[in-house]
Amino acid sequence: MIRWSRAGISPGTSGILWSLSVAAEVVVFVVVGRPLLDRIGPTGAAMLSAGAGVVRWAVMAETAWLPALALIEPLHGLTFALLHLTCMRLLAQCVPRHLEATALTIYGTVGIGVATALLTLACGPIFERFGAHGFWAMAALCAAALPLARTLREPTDDPG
């Protein structure tokens, strides 16, 4: 929002851009996420999420051109919602039933909460120093996730 405001984008237009990302998130959660995850599996879904993050943050680092922003904001549906669905599927398959609540609490607190808090604290000084080009740091984090995502495997029922 600060980036958009500094680029002269009005609060109303910023709200529409924000709404595009939220609407895409809802569409992924409600309509396309599960079939997509079923089709490409956790590895493919995590890689798609990371790749979408690279594109989204790279574009945000380089431009505040409204048509470009309108095209990339819906990628939030992939960068957040699809990744979240992937994590939920893996937890459901890997964690014993009696530890599900504990696993969800750890995921929510550490995987989402602590990570978000640390990145938020880091991003303020990065944005202050580099402006929009600081978004390249987020693109780099997403790019670093790609090889990690390749290592994901769905658990099998076969112990051997």
Side-chain angles (χ1 to χ4, degrees):
M1 297 297 282
I2 296 169
R3 158 79 160 131
W4 297 341
S5 176
R6 287 183 182 175
I9 296 173
S10 73
T13 302
S14 294
I16 291 169
L17 289 171
W18 193 275
S19 297
L20 285 172
S21 67
V22 172
E25 181 181 326
V26 171
V27 167
V28 171
F29 274 131
V30 176
V31 181
V32 300
R34 185 173 179 175
L36 183 58
L37 184 53
D38 289 343
R39 182 173 177 87
I40 65 176
T43 301
M47 290 182 71
L48 179 57
S49 297
V54 170
V55 170
R56 185 172 180 224
W57 291 112
V59 170
M60 289 180 70
E62 292 300 317
T63 187
W65 185 50
L66 200 52
L69 296 175
L71 288 172
I72 61 154
E73 277 308 296
L75 291 177
H76 177 70
L78 299 176
T79 60
F80 174 72
L82 184 60
L83 182 61
H84 183 71
L85 290 171
T86 302
C87 292
M88 292 296 98
R89 169 145 327 155
L90 290 171
L91 282 174
Q93 292 174 341
C94 294
V95 175
R97 196 163 197 80
H98 69 281
L99 294 175
E100 285 176 339
T102 302
L104 287 172
T105 300
I106 292 170
Y107 166 71
T109 303
V110 178
I112 296 174
V114 172
T116 300
L118 291 175
L119 286 171
T120 299
L121 290 172
C123 286
I126 289 170
F127 187 79
E128 194 59 39
R129 178 163 182 181
F130 299 105
H133 287 108
F135 291 138
W136 280 110
M138 297 302 289
L141 286 173
C142 293
L146 282 165
L148 296 173
R150 283 189 70 120
T151 67
L152 290 176
R153 299 288 179 254
E154 278 195 86
T156 62
D157 293 332
D158 180 19

